[in-house]
Amino acid sequence: MQSIFARNGFETPEPVKAQVNGSIPPWLQGTLLRNGPGLFSVGDSEYNHWFDGMSLIHSFTFSQGQVTYRSKFLKSETYKRNIKANRIVVSEFGTMIYPDPCKNIFSRAFTHLSNIIPDFTDNNLINIVRYGQDYYASSEVNYMNQIDPDTLETIGRINYRNHIALNLATAHPHYDNEGNTYNMGTAIMGMGLPKYVIFKVPADASDNKNKKPALRKVQQVCSIPFRSTLFPSYYHSFGMTENYVVFVEQPFKLDIVKLATAYFRGVNWGSCLKFDKDDITLFHVVDKKTGKAVSTRFHGDPLVVFHHINAYEADGHVVLDLIAYRDSNLYDMFYLRNMRQESEALVESNKDCSPPVCQRFVLPLHTSKDAPGGSELVTLTDTTARAVKHEDGSVYCRPETLFEGLELPAINYGFNGKKYRYFYGSRMEWSPHPNKIAKFDIVTREHVEWRQENCFPSEPVFVASPGAVEEDDGVILSSVISPDPNISPFMLVLDARSLEEVARASIPAPVHMDLHGHFIAAPV
């Protein structure tokens, strides 16, 4: 495993042409941008955690049945400082860095003082997000780095805090039919009462001619107070329907006091996240237009969620599909010391870890005040999810299990926020490394898979056929790597209906395992 998952990646700064086997649909025109950790050591220093590695951005460009590939490290301030020093000098989530003891005492004292309130790294390694027509490498902190999607050059850093009061923000925004972007962030320190903030950036917010960022037109939709002032919920994504934003306030929490003192206690920021197995999960439903939350208190058993699949409205209910864990051990799996174990040892050490479970929650929007305690409120006939009214008026939500062992979910994004039938994802059956791609049919409860021995596919990305009417009319794209030196990395193109291989484009350059990506269709 070490050779492909925890090694340092390499740039391919000039486009290289892939060797195509099969036939790429002629209508598939555009660029798939991918982001993930790609540099795990600098000089003699090394990161502790896979999610700390410095961002390596890939692009796979489809044009007239051909594929070209290029990759560049994100030239963040973090990257530049580390490379200049020839060692890691900026702390990451799982790796706390201390000043060089050879520096003078004034420099060291300043460094210690500046770490009272963390100024997070700008190593944006999780996803590519769009605001207006600006594209950014993004993680979960207040910094993003704008990139040129054609050349992968880093244009420059932007700070959310210059436009909206946030310390943290997700790397998984939603886009509506008009092209507006919705996202969520957390305001923790020095910004009034701590709160979660839902915000919107209009589709026409870019002004590239005058080099003005789209974020300057950001609009706050609403805010939600923490239920516990010093313990905000961690969240990696959220749900959105046609009319509502759905936020899951889970009992996987950030300890603010520990965060503020982590540097002095000699621990990393990741250790400030704790799962409270005795707490509950809250589901907040907020009207996108009015910013007002639905007054019903929806709650469920404790869970950990990173990725939402989809959400939609049906007959007075919000249906919320997500991938849940029963604990927070997933994060620990990705410490590099664990990832470098041999396959058998990795499987053995992870056998007690909670598997990812695709769950469906149903939140009834119109609960009658007259309904007695114990009343079942879900009236939908196509789900076994339950919502029971308690005597105090709150509603306890029990999910329906759809599928087990799938992560990194993808849908036909034309159905985002709408009733849908299919989702795709990476199968994770024996380790945190995906070894198959799956398609799940919510109606029949059947699934089909693509796999190849000794191959590890990335998150699947759905691209719809032009003028498609059927939900699964399109292709699935995934970059695939292998520890087998006889198997070149390749871009896999699957028929989204059957999950059968349509084409593969073998890339004559090293490709690294990544996290998330964004497909940009070529202008018609």
Side-chain angles (χ1 to χ4, degrees):
M1 291 300 163
Q2 179 172 357
S3 60
I4 59 168
F5 292 114
R7 69 181 182 197
N8 281 343
F10 298 93
E11 289 186 312
T12 305
E14 295 303 320
V16 293
K17 191 173 179 180
Q19 175 67 46
V20 176
N21 290 312
S23 180
I24 293 173
W27 57 260
L28 182 59
Q29 305 277 329
T31 297
L32 175 61
L33 297 177
R34 307 280 309 162
N35 195 357
L39 196 63
F40 300 98
S41 63
V42 184
D44 296 328
S45 59
E46 186 174 65
Y47 290 117
N48 297 328
H49 201 281
W50 194 70
F51 294 156
D52 293 345
M54 284 193 283
S55 164
L56 179 59
I57 298 176
H58 318 261
S59 71
F60 303 84
T61 298
F62 299 83
S63 179
Q64 298 178 329
Q66 299 299 316
V67 179
T68 52
Y69 171 79
R70 78 195 309 172
S71 64
K72 290 182 184 177
F73 286 112
L74 181 71
K75 304 307 189 295
S76 62
E77 293 303 311
T78 295
Y79 176 91
K80 289 187 277 194
R81 286 179 60 192
N82 288 343
I83 296 301
K84 184 178 179 183
N86 196 33
R87 66 186 181 92
I88 299 167
V89 295
V90 180
S91 295
E92 298 292 340
F93 207 58
T95 309
M96 190 63 81
I97 301 297
Y98 294 90
D100 187 340
C102 300
K103 280 188 177 179
N104 67 54
I105 191 167
F106 298 108
S107 173
R108 291 208 308 275
F110 177 77
T111 303
H112 285 296
L113 278 173
S114 67
N115 276 281
I116 293 172
I117 294 180
D119 185 28
F120 294 115
T121 169
D122 69 338
N123 175 32
N124 304 123
L125 75 154
I126 294 178
N127 204 357
I128 305 293
V129 305
R130 176 183 62 75
Y131 287 117
Q133 293 307 311
D134 304 346
Y135 290 91
Y136 295 91
S138 177
S139 49
E140 298 186 323
V141 297
N142 57 293
Y143 293 117
M144 294 185 298
N145 273 281
Q146 188 176 357
I147 62 163
D148 182 320
D150 296 322
T151 66
L152 304 188
E153 287 299 310
T154 304
I155 295 170
R157 184 167 85 169
I158 191 168
N159 189 343
Y160 274 110
R161 291 204 299 244
N162 292 338
H163 306 278
I164 186 169
L166 294 175
N167 298 95
L168 307 166
T170 91
H172 285 289
H174 285 278
Y175 310 99
D176 67 14
N177 292 337
E178 284 79 50
N180 303 308
T181 304
Y182 288 82
N183 207 350
M184 269 196 75
T186 304
I188 305 174
M189 292 170 280
M191 297 179 177
L193 287 173
K195 55 189 176 288
Y196 311 106
V197 176
I198 298 164
F199 60 92
K200 170 186 173 182
V201 178
D204 61 355
S206 293
D207 184 358
N208 293 327
K209 185 175 160 188
N210 297 307
K211 296 191 174 176
K212 290 182 178 176
L215 269 183
R216 78 193 193 287
K217 288 194 174 181
V218 64
Q219 304 161 9
Q220 181 170 313
V221 174
C222 77
S223 65
I224 301 167
F226 295 174
R227 62 171 147 154
S228 176
T229 305
L230 294 176
F231 299 95
S233 168
Y234 170 79
Y235 56 97
H236 184 76
S237 59
F238 61 100
M240 191 170 86
T241 71
E242 193 176 341
N243 295 296
Y244 299 98
V245 166
V246 189
F247 167 51
V248 179
E249 193 174 15
Q250 60 185 333
F252 187 31
K253 305 172 188 177
L254 186 61
D255 185 322
I256 298 297
V257 174
K258 281 189 174 177
L259 182 76
T261 59
Y263 182 84
F264 301 104
R265 292 182 298 109
V267 299
N268 63 44
W269 291 320
S271 69
C272 304
L273 281 169
K274 291 294 177 204
F275 177 61
D276 184 351
K277 63 180 176 38
D278 299 317
D279 202 352
I280 61 170
T281 300
L282 289 179
F283 300 89
H284 300 274
V285 182
V286 178
D287 188 303
K288 277 160 52 180
K289 294 182 185 69
T290 66
K292 289 195 168 72
V294 171
S295 58
T296 306
R297 188 174 194 262
F298 299 107
H299 61 94
D301 295 333
L303 58 77
V304 172
V305 54
F306 298 99
H307 295 116
H308 287 248
I309 303 170
N310 198 8
Y312 62 90
E313 298 156 42
D315 298 329
H317 306 72
V318 164
V319 178
L320 178 69
D321 295 345
L322 50 78
I323 297 175
Y325 296 81
R326 64 173 182 266
D327 57 42
S328 58
N329 290 342
L330 181 74
Y331 178 80
D332 293 334
M333 279 193 214
F334 285 91
Y335 276 100
L336 291 178
R337 63 177 181 272
N338 295 331
M339 293 184 72
R340 285 176 175 151
Q341 298 177 93
E342 291 301 316
S343 296
E344 293 76 15
L346 186 67
V347 174
E348 181 64 26
S349 62
N350 292 328
K351 67 180 181 182
D352 295 327
C353 287
S354 161
V357 180
C358 304
Q359 294 186 334
R360 167 162 289 183
F361 288 88
V362 177
L363 315 175
L365 294 173
H366 311 297
T367 58
S368 169
K369 290 189 170 63
D370 302 326
S375 299
E376 170 55 54
L377 302 175
V378 176
T379 58
L380 301 179
T381 57
D382 61 351
T383 179
T384 58
R386 293 289 170 253
V388 177
K389 184 179 179 183
H390 283 182
E391 295 291 349
D392 62 2
S394 69
V395 175
Y396 168 73
C397 302
R398 194 186 75 215
E400 172 187 15
T401 293
L402 299 176
F403 191 55
E404 188 170 305
L406 180 144
E407 250 293 1
L408 303 174
I411 63 169
N412 176 343
Y413 203 77
F415 286 77
N416 190 55
K418 303 181 178 116
K419 187 165 186 177
Y420 72 120
R421 179 169 176 172
Y422 306 107
F423 60 83
Y424 305 82
S426 301
R427 288 286 269 142
M428 297 179 180
E429 298 175 297
W430 50 267
S431 87
H433 308 308
N435 61 332
K436 300 176 186 175
I437 294 172
K439 174 192 181 183
F440 183 75
D441 184 329
I442 296 168
V443 174
T444 65
R445 300 305 167 95
E446 295 172 342
H447 78 282
V448 291
E449 295 179 340
W450 175 92
R451 71 182 297 273
Q452 181 177 325
E453 192 66 32
N454 223 6
C455 284
F456 298 90
S458 71
E459 164 197 64
V461 173
F462 182 97
V463 183
S465 302
V469 176
E470 296 295 321
E471 182 183 338
D472 58 353
D473 182 358
V475 295
I476 290 291
L477 307 178
S478 175
S479 61
V480 183
I481 61 172
S482 173
D484 184 339
N486 296 314
I487 303 175
S488 297
F490 59 94
M491 170 53 61
L492 177 67
V493 184
L494 301 176
D495 182 314
R497 187 169 283 132
S498 64
L499 227 54
E500 290 176 357
E501 184 171 327
V502 173
R504 67 173 61 187
S506 297
I507 296 157
V511 178
H512 209 65
M513 178 60 81
D514 52 34
L515 282 168
H516 298 296
H518 189 102
F519 184 79
I520 305 171
V524 178

